[in-house]
Amino acid sequence: MANDEQVTDAAVERSDYTVKKGEVSLAVYRKRLPPAAGEPPRPVLFLVHGSSNSGLSSFDLTVPAAGEYSTMNVFAGLGYDVWTMDHENYGRSSRTEGNSDIASGVADLTAATELVIRETGQERLHFMGESSGALRAAAFAMAQPERVGRLVLNAFTYTGRNSPTLAKRAEQVEFFRTHNRRLRDRAMISSIFTRDHPGTSDPRVAEALADAELIHGEEVPTGTYLDMTANLPVVDPLRVMAPVMIVRGEHDGIASEEDLLDFYRLLPNPDRQFVVLPGAAHALVFGHNRHQLWHAVQAFIGMPPRRDV
């Protein structure tokens, strides 16, 4: 795939859904190429967003005159049935008094995947989560292993050992304990792209992301920040039975390579990969080298099935 190749929105169909988690309404989104009559169900890729941005801005972002930034478009163009959602208190989903922690995210995914399974006929879905979205996806894989095919964990963190980002964030842990919302303004969104290693992304991306997100307000929940500063580990690698690929950006400050390798070594499924993307920082889907991420994910989730003689 060429660096600036773009899958036009005209070629991809988008459908919007709402599902219920009790009284909470959750926005769910689907993108795919128009299906041909009689074709079998396509493999499903479900994308899980992180702490500071909602589903569409994370995975279906338009950056004018800057090339393709929609992970949904890319994988729809590759033949996948691509889904994402806004977790509780994000995007178009319900606003509640909760703090939308990792456990809440697992409940969100449980509700959303019931819809996806019903709509697609696929009982196992591939997942890719980024940052706290990777924690949500991995925790869901522990809770609902029968619904998970292959699992991609981008910008993941295990115990938080030797993480400069989490050490800095932990200075506010008491605020996260006592407040269910934090400020997420344009400056905070910009800092996502500069805190680890400046120059790993196009400055236009931060502006486009802020434009897309701030229509939902300047506050987001604190639950995932509290989990990542006070409650790690929230995922037990011994209970993640799916094939797993861990993807770390070379300059990502949220998890050390050593911490992630400790998690990787404990995964029980021998079908696993550990990938370091050079020239990348935390926000892998938004970096100059996002094409390397797409390539690695495509190869992993499209892996031929194992054969035992």
Side-chain angles (χ1 to χ4, degrees), residues 1 68-69 71 74-75 290-298:
M1 178 177 294
E68 182 63 272
Y69 279 88
T71 303
V74 167
F75 281 89
R290 63 198 180 280
H291 308 87
Q292 292 184 341
L293 173 68
W294 299 339
H295 175 85
V297 174
Q298 178 189 2

Side-chain angles (χ1 to χ4, degrees), residues 7-8 11-13 31-36 39 42 76-80:
V7 181
T8 65
V12 177
E13 293 182 342
K31 297 194 86 170
R32 58 178 175 163
L33 293 174
E39 74 170 67
R42 296 174 185 170
L78 291 170
Y80 289 88

Side-chain angles (χ1 to χ4, degrees), residues 5 15 40 46 50 55 87 111 118 177 188 219 242 253 257 266 280 284:
E5 183 177 344
S15 302
F46 198 109
H87 287 282
R118 184 168 65 248
R177 292 186 195 279
M188 187 275 155
E219 291 187 328
E257 190 168 306
L266 292 171
L284 295 175

Side-chain angles (χ1 to χ4, degrees), residues 32 203 236 248:
R32 58 178 175 163
D236 179 356
R248 180 182 184 271

Side-chain angles (χ1 to χ4, degrees), residues 84-98:
T84 191
M85 71 179 301
D86 296 333
H87 287 282
E88 181 180 339
N89 290 310
Y90 289 88
R92 300 178 185 177
S93 290
S94 291
R95 297 302 188 264
T96 71
E97 295 302 313

Side-chain angles (χ1 to χ4, degrees), residues 7-306:
V7 181
T8 65
D9 282 334
V12 177
E13 293 182 342
R14 176 175 143 189
S15 302
D16 296 357
Y17 303 81
T18 301
V19 297
K20 286 286 194 176
K21 182 184 69 171
E23 297 301 312
V24 177
S25 294
L26 301 170
V28 183
Y29 311 97
R30 178 189 200 178
K31 297 194 86 170
R32 58 178 175 163
L33 293 174
E39 74 170 67
R42 296 174 185 170
V44 174
L45 175 61
F46 198 109
L47 305 170
V48 188
H49 72 73
S51 298
S52 297
N53 305 301
S54 56
L56 291 181
S57 66
S58 296
F59 301 117
D60 196 30
L61 185 68
T62 298
V63 184
E68 182 63 272
Y69 279 88
S70 170
T71 303
M72 296 188 82
N73 280 354
V74 167
F75 281 89
L78 291 170
Y80 289 88
D81 195 342
V82 188
W83 296 71
T84 191
M85 71 179 301
D86 296 333
H87 287 282
E88 181 180 339
N89 290 310
Y90 289 88
R92 300 178 185 177
S93 290
S94 291
R95 297 302 188 264
T96 71
E97 295 302 313
N99 71 352
S100 302
D101 59 6
I102 299 300
S104 172
V106 171
D108 295 342
L109 290 171
T110 299
T113 54
E114 289 172 358
L115 165 71
V116 176
I117 291 167
R118 184 168 65 248
E119 289 291 314
T120 66
Q122 294 282 29
E123 294 186 359
R124 286 187 181 269
L125 324 175
H126 304 310
F127 287 83
M128 184 181 84
E130 186 149 303
S131 191
S132 65
L135 290 172
R136 290 182 177 111
F140 177 78
M142 290 194 304
Q144 301 279 355
E146 71 284 353
R147 298 188 186 182
V148 180
R150 289 177 170 268
L151 178 63
V152 180
L153 306 178
N154 298 342
F156 184 68
T157 188
Y158 178 30
T159 70
R161 179 167 59 95
N162 297 328
S163 166
T165 298
L166 293 184
K168 180 67 175 176
R169 194 175 293 173
E171 296 172 4
Q172 301 181 70
V173 67
E174 290 309 314
F175 177 89
F176 303 145
R177 292 186 195 279
T178 55
H179 297 76
N180 284 353
R181 299 289 181 273
R182 61 180 173 87
L183 180 67
R184 189 282 323 266
D185 57 7
R186 188 171 293 268
M188 187 275 155
I189 291 173
S190 180
S191 74
I192 297 170
F193 299 90
T194 59
R195 70 188 186 210
D196 294 328
H197 193 84
T200 57
S201 62
D202 187 326
R204 292 175 290 183
V205 178
E207 290 302 311
L209 180 60
D211 290 343
E213 266 301 309
L214 293 178
I215 62 173
H216 302 301
E218 291 193 334
E219 291 187 328
V220 288
T222 56
T224 56
Y225 269 30
L226 179 60
D227 278 337
M228 296 169 80
T229 53
N231 299 323
L232 291 176
V234 295
V235 177
D236 179 356
L238 295 173
R239 294 175 55 202
V240 179
M241 299 302 169
V244 174
M245 181 169 73
I246 296 173
V247 187
R248 180 182 184 271
E250 175 188 5
H251 304 294
D252 191 359
I254 204 145
S256 66
E257 190 168 306
E258 295 76 16
D259 193 40
L260 295 179
L261 284 170
D262 286 345
F263 182 89
Y264 176 80
R265 291 186 189 102
L266 292 171
L267 290 168
N269 194 324
D271 187 351
R272 62 188 191 270
Q273 296 182 24
F274 191 98
V275 176
V276 177
L277 294 184
H282 183 65
L284 295 175
V285 296
F286 295 133
H288 289 307
N289 293 310
R290 63 198 180 280
H291 308 87
Q292 292 184 341
L293 173 68
W294 299 339
H295 175 85
V297 174
Q298 178 189 2
F300 181 71
I301 65 175
M303 182 78 70
R306 170 177 171 170

